[in-house]
């Protein structure tokens, strides 16, 4: 979303009169909240996900001790960057390691933290990251023998490690943080939804969907969210939403908060 488009949105306020439920972690919801409010929406915060250190740093510490052995380090989220560098402390990555970030937000976090990003996978799916890695390496045949370190959440998709391993790489996917469900009052959220006081619900990861379902105590969310527009940040999140019975789903072409808000604005203008 450009500065000009932000000014236009703030002037026209296309989401005025809509109440949007944001399920993103409170500490990471400033951007999407600001964009929604700029567009005129009233935001209700219902964080269904929070992040904390792993139960054990053993795997990360072991990887840090042998950083010279790795050819690549791949960060799949801003949390991966934050928690890994928090543990790295005063040490630094060897210059030879290629630093890869999946998605623009992760790239920004990595550049801010380390001052350097070598590869940015614009497609935030693991498949897009694999394509970017192969392109940088000079072809799929150049992956064999390379060593990858992937600091990530305890629960994460195995697509990237599996596909890299299938190409002959050695992959260490280590738990740098874990996602947890915070204490949130589910009954109040259910009341807002059943009384029709929420127009839009946003999900920014599969965990926000599954944790929301657990929060309200429903596996099938189709009845509770009938008439509510659900905006999902990407196809993996959208698929999780559909597995919980949600059909009225929109998703942006790019998997970030500005694109999510733009897709929401486009959807409401059509209705």
């Amino acid at each position: 979303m450009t500065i000009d488009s932000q000014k236009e949105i703030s002037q026209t306020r296309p989401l005025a009169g809509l109440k949007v439920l944001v399920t993103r972690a409170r500490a990471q919801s400033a951007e999407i909240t600001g964009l929604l409010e700029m567009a005129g929406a009233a935001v209700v915060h219902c964080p269904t996900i929070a992040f904390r250190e792993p139960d054990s740093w053993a795997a990360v510490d072991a990887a840090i001790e042998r950083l010279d052995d790795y050819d690549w380090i791949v960060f799949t989220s801003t949390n991966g960057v934050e928690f890994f560098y928090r543990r790295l402390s005063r040490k630094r990555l060897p210059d030879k390691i290629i630093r890869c970030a999946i998605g623009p937000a992760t790239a920004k976090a990595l550049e801010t933290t380390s001052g350097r990003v070598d590869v940015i996978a614009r497609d935030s799916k693991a498949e897009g990251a694999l394509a970017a890695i192969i392109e940088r390496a000079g072809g799929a045949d150049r992956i064999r023998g390379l060593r990858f370190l992937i600091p990530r959440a305890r629960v994460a998709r195995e697509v990237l490690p599996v596909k890299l391993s299938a190409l002959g790489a050695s992959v260490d996917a280590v738990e740098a943080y874990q996602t947890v469900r915070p204490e949130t009052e589910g009954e109040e959220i259910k009341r807002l939804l059943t009384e029709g006081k929420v127009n839009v619900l946003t999900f920014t990861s599969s965990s926000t969907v599954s944790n929301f379902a657990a929060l309200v105590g429903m596996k099938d969310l189709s009845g509770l969210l009938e008439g509510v527009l659900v905006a999902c940040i990407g196809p993996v999140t959208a698929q999780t939403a559909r597995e919980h019975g949600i059909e009225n789903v929109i998703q942006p072409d790019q998997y970030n908060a500005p694109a999510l808000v733009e897709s929401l604005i486009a959807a409401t203008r059509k209705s």
Side-chain angles (χ1 to χ4, degrees):
M1 186 177 292
T2 65
I3 293 177
D4 287 342
S5 63
Q6 287 182 8
K7 288 181 179 178
E8 179 184 353
I9 287 172
S10 64
Q11 292 169 356
T12 59
R13 298 176 65 81
L15 300 182
L18 296 183
K19 185 167 287 187
V20 181
L21 192 68
V22 172
T23 58
R24 197 166 209 169
R26 193 69 183 241
Q28 297 180 334
S29 64
E31 181 183 32
I32 191 170
T33 297
L35 292 170
L36 288 167
E37 291 179 341
M38 184 186 301
V43 175
V44 177
H45 290 280
C46 175
T48 62
I49 190 170
F51 309 99
R52 71 183 186 196
E53 295 180 352
D55 292 336
S56 170
W57 283 108
V60 172
D61 288 345
I64 288 174
E65 287 301 313
R66 56 176 189 273
L67 283 175
D68 286 329
D69 294 341
Y70 294 106
D71 302 291
W72 284 70
I73 185 167
V74 181
F75 292 99
T76 60
S77 69
T78 58
N79 289 301
V81 175
E82 177 188 345
F83 282 90
F84 178 80
Y85 272 90
R86 184 186 302 177
R87 194 63 177 177
L88 190 62
S89 188
R90 296 182 180 179
K91 293 186 179 181
R92 62 189 300 271
L93 291 178
D95 290 338
K96 76 179 187 71
I97 295 183
I98 297 175
R99 296 153 172 81
C100 177
I102 300 181
T106 305
K108 182 178 179 181
L110 181 56
E111 184 173 21
T112 300
T113 304
S114 73
R116 175 180 152 195
V117 183
D118 300 310
V119 178
I120 302 175
R122 300 293 177 183
D123 184 340
S124 295
K125 292 186 297 183
E127 295 81 357
L130 181 66
I133 290 169
I134 290 174
E135 181 179 359
R136 172 60 183 259
D141 59 320
R142 299 292 186 91
I143 300 297
R144 181 171 296 280
L146 296 179
R147 295 203 63 178
F148 288 79
L149 174 61
I150 307 178
R152 63 178 194 173
R154 171 187 290 180
V155 179
R157 297 179 75 208
E158 296 294 334
V159 176
L160 184 58
V162 167
K163 288 187 176 294
L164 285 170
S165 297
L167 292 174
S170 174
V171 182
D172 289 334
V174 298
E175 181 191 344
Y177 67 98
Q178 56 182 312
T179 60
V180 295
R181 181 160 57 91
E183 294 296 328
T184 305
E185 182 51 61
E187 289 304 315
E188 173 63 15
I189 296 303
K190 285 175 67 175
R191 184 187 65 79
L192 289 174
L193 289 164
T194 54
E195 293 179 359
K197 294 182 178 179
V198 172
N199 309 103
V200 181
L201 184 59
T202 64
F203 290 122
T204 51
S205 69
S206 288
S207 294
T208 60
V209 181
S210 55
N211 286 357
F212 179 83
L215 175 69
V216 297
M218 296 180 178
K219 171 67 175 177
D220 185 346
L221 297 170
S222 58
L224 181 65
L225 299 182
E226 184 177 0
V228 176
L229 181 61
V230 176
C232 295
I233 205 163
V236 176
T237 305
Q239 177 57 36
T240 304
R242 293 187 181 96
E243 290 171 0
H244 285 277
I246 306 171
E247 294 297 334
N248 191 20
V249 174
I250 61 169
Q251 67 180 68
D253 294 330
Q254 297 181 19
Y255 314 139
N256 55 56
L260 184 67
V261 174
E262 285 187 337
S263 67
L264 174 56
I265 291 170
T268 56
R269 280 173 174 165
K270 291 178 182 178
S271 61

